[in-house]
Each structure stands twice: as C-alpha cells, then as structure tokens.
Amino acid sequence: MLNYIWAFMILLGITIGAFTGNMGNVSTETLNSAKEAVSLCVTMLGVMSLWTGLMGVARGCGLMEKLTRLMMPVIRLLFPTLPKEHIVNEYIASNMIANILGLGWAATPVGINAMKELKSISGGGTAASVDMCTFLIVNMSSLQLIPVNIIAYRSQYGSVTPSSILAPAIIATTCSTLAGVAFSMIMRKRGDKR
Amino acid sequence: MNFLLYISDYIIPLIFFYVVGYAILAGSDIFSDFIEGAKEGFEVTLGIMPTLIGLLAAVGILRASGAFGLLENISRILQLPAQLVPVVIVKMFSSSAATGLLLDLYKSVGPDSYIGVLASVIMSSSETIFYTVSVYFGSVGIKKTRYVIPGAIIATIAGIIGSVLVLRL
C-alpha cells in the first residue's frame, strides 16, 4: 500500500509542479523536507524514549500485568463465547493494553498471536469468525489514550501547549471505540439469530 | 474547552506520579527498568527515521507543486476544512504517510490553530484500517473479512464526529 501512496505523491507532485511552474519550489522543498525529518526524529527520540522508559518501569513492577488482569471483565463482555481459561484472553488483553498506552509496535506481535488462537478456536477456514471481527474492529477503533507521537510532533512544530489535545483526544477515541464496540455487538446478535 | 485544557495538563504528570510511586513501593529496580524501556523507544524511533525522511520528502514535493489547491473542491462536499481531507483519507491506508501530511499541516497553519488541533485529535482517534486488516488477517490466512471494514469505518467516522464536536465545547 505504502508503495503506491509514496509513488503517487512523488509522481503527481512533480507532474503538477511542471504544469504550474513550481519546479524551483519542488526542488528546494525535497531537500528541506529530508533535513526536517531528521530534526523531527531528534525530538521524537526524547519524547518516545521517555514514554517507553516509563512503560518499562510499569512493566518491571507488575503494574502492566495488573492492568491486563483488569481488562478481563471487558474481554468477557466483548467475547462472551470464548473459553475462560484459554491463553487467548491474555493475548487479547495485552494487545489492548499496549494499544491503550500508545505502544503500537508492541501490540502487533501479541495481537497476531491472539488472531492465531482465535482462528484455531473457530476451527480454521478462510472466513473470519465473529470473535475475530470483534477483536479487529475494536483494535482499529483506535484504543490509544495517550497519543505520545502526536504530542512529540506538536512540540517539534512549535506548539505552545503540545499536550493540550489530550483530553479532547481521549473523548474522541472513546467515541470511536464505543461505536466500534456497539457495531460488533449488534453484528454478533444478528449472527446469533440466523 | 478551557476545562479540557486544564485536564490535559494533569494527565501526563499524574501517570508519571502513579507509575513511579507504584514501582518504588513495589520495590522494583525502577531506574534500570526505565533505561531498558527507553532503549526500546530509542530503537523504534531510529527505525522509523528512514520512513519519515522518504515520506516528508514526498509530501514536500506534493505541497510545493501546488497540488493541495485542487483538493478544496472535494472538501467542500465533505464539509471538512480543505487541509484535513488528505490526512483523513490517507490515514486509513498508511499511518506514516498521514503523519507526513499532518506535519505539513502544522507547518502551514501551526499546531495550535483550530485546524492544527482538530487534525491532532482526529489523528489520535483513528487507525490505519486497511493496513491493520491486511497485517492481522494476512498473518492467519483469512480471506473473507465479513463486516470488519464497515465496522472500522463506522468507528473512524464516529471518532471524526467526536473530534469536531468536542472542540466546539
């Protein structure tokens, strides 16, 4: 996907630039943007490392595990038919916690494990089970409560209050997650009736 | 809105206080845990640097060419500020490409302007739908995605509506 988007932006930009006579700008901007990406990463290094460091502390003292256990009632609600003692519950919970805390890259491997287990529970096949659908929709409804990366970007671009978006972002994320959960539950009910 | 700003100020310090307080009472080796975790973030950031260089250059080309002017017509139909349309659409396909566009927006209108804040909130409350579906379902060989995509799009739209409404408070 990224291949096409990237090529599209470059080819379209240069073509339009040629027609609108902006080639000088295009040329300067290309080089400036590359420089800018590096200075952005320097800011990011600080903010991201601080955050993942704090999450390391949370993991080391068992707080992360505690949070995962707190997720269990939510998982029972979302996946009422999953076997209670199955390892998949733990995978789903830690995937959600990692997403909530803004550790997206840590969420993916454990999320894929969860998906594998869900597939073996559903008995294989190439069609998604209801549980798989719920898991993925909730995952994609954006669980992230603390958008660390957005805060880092904002501070790099001179925001006076980089973290001022936190409360609105939490509310907006709640809206999207509630909509995703509601939709999944409705679809599950409809499937039961059939 | 002022009230929300006020809460925002407290969230990160409180998380720090809670985590560090909990850890010191639990007696874990907090500073070396911190260093371990920070290393991870350091590596991840360094890892995305080449991606960002490539994408920021591509967005730079697109902007300097004057292509974004053409998007204003689409945005009038969708009732969103013109600059936000590409961010919202691209975000569904690629998070890093959307980041490139977001940063471009910060540069042109500023991160604290209405559009800058709205874009930040929308970016924080949406996910890369198509990419995520292909990673998760691709890894276990699922071809029939059933109602996953409509569900994810509904959630994304709810997030956008929520973002617009919450900033009107």
Side-chain angles (χ1 to χ4, degrees):
Chain A
M1 193 56 77
L2 196 50
N3 287 343
Y4 290 107
I5 297 179
W6 197 61
F8 176 79
M9 288 198 287
I10 292 179
L11 300 178
L12 182 77
I14 294 177
T15 314
I16 294 180
F19 281 112
T20 54
N22 283 330
M23 264 332 204
N25 282 341
V26 171
S27 180
T28 335
E29 194 59 34
T30 317
L31 301 175
N32 282 345
S33 304
K35 256 197 298 193
E36 191 189 312
V38 176
S39 58
L40 173 67
C41 280
V42 173
T43 309
M44 288 264 293
L45 276 178
V47 179
M48 283 302 280
S49 306
L50 182 66
W51 184 255
T52 55
L54 186 69
M55 291 304 124
V57 174
R59 199 168 33 203
C61 67
L63 195 54
M64 216 63 131
E65 258 173 71
K66 195 179 144 194
L67 283 177
T68 309
R69 275 201 304 280
L70 283 177
M71 284 300 289
M72 285 307 166
V74 179
I75 289 179
R76 292 262 68 82
L77 183 73
L78 286 173
F79 308 93
T81 56
L82 275 189
K84 259 190 185 157
E85 299 302 320
H86 201 284
I87 181 90
V88 72
N89 294 298
E90 211 170 290
Y91 287 153
I92 295 176
S94 26
N95 170 273
M96 287 181 174
I97 290 292
N99 270 323
I100 289 172
L101 297 176
L103 307 168
W105 71 89
T108 309
V110 67
I112 288 172
N113 282 341
M115 206 46 115
K116 282 185 183 142
E117 295 300 329
L118 287 177
K119 184 173 179 174
S120 72
I121 290 170
S122 76
T126 57
S129 69
V130 175
D131 288 332
M132 289 168 144
C133 291
T134 305
F135 174 58
L136 206 49
I137 290 174
V138 173
N139 194 305
M140 288 188 295
S141 72
S142 172
L143 297 164
Q144 185 177 14
L145 280 187
I146 313 292
V148 210
N149 44 352
I150 303 285
I151 295 173
Y153 300 147
R154 288 170 55 80
S155 81
Q156 169 71 16
Y157 285 87
S159 169
V160 187
T161 49
S163 58
S164 63
I165 54 137
L166 265 175
I170 290 174
I171 293 172
T173 296
T174 310
C175 290
S176 67
T177 304
L178 286 180
V181 167
F183 182 82
S184 313
M185 285 178 141
I186 291 168
M187 293 310 280
R188 181 186 287 272
K189 281 252 166 62
R190 282 184 55 187
D192 285 350
K193 276 183 200 152
R194 253 176 230 163
Chain B
M1 192 59 212
N2 272 336
F3 178 65
L4 287 183
L5 278 180
Y6 185 72
I7 295 182
S8 297
D9 280 345
Y10 273 78
I11 295 173
I12 291 183
L14 281 182
I15 293 175
F16 266 82
F17 189 85
Y18 182 70
V19 172
V20 173
Y22 187 99
I24 199 82
L25 290 180
S28 62
D29 190 3
I30 55 172
F31 201 69
S32 65
D33 284 343
F34 174 82
I35 301 294
E36 274 311 304
K39 262 185 206 155
E40 236 171 76
F42 202 84
E43 279 158 25
V44 170
T45 311
L46 279 186
I48 62 169
M49 191 143 118
T51 317
L52 268 182
I53 293 175
L55 284 163
L56 281 190
V59 174
I61 291 174
L62 202 55
R63 179 167 43 96
S65 74
F68 287 155
L70 305 173
L71 280 165
E72 274 168 28
N73 296 323
I74 307 176
S75 70
R76 229 169 275 140
I77 303 167
L78 292 175
Q79 301 266 312
L80 271 177
Q83 300 100 312
L84 282 180
V85 177
V87 181
V88 171
I89 295 173
V90 171
K91 175 77 198 227
M92 294 188 184
F93 296 92
S94 158
S95 178
S96 36
T99 302
L101 294 170
L102 176 76
L103 300 180
D104 196 63
L105 208 66
Y106 285 168
K107 236 188 306 178
S108 54
V109 297
D112 291 330
S113 66
Y114 172 70
I115 291 176
V117 171
L118 182 57
S120 313
V121 176
I122 290 178
M123 278 288 278
S124 310
S125 64
S126 58
E127 264 289 346
T128 24
I129 299 176
F130 296 98
Y131 170 79
T132 311
V133 171
S134 59
V135 168
Y136 278 77
F137 278 170
S139 69
V140 292
I142 296 291
K143 296 214 173 67
K144 227 180 136 214
T145 62
R146 296 176 63 189
Y147 56 85
V148 163
I149 306 264
I153 290 176
I154 286 174
T156 305
I157 292 173
I160 294 173
I161 295 173
S163 308
V164 174
L165 291 182
V166 75
L167 293 183
R168 289 222 179 117
L169 288 180

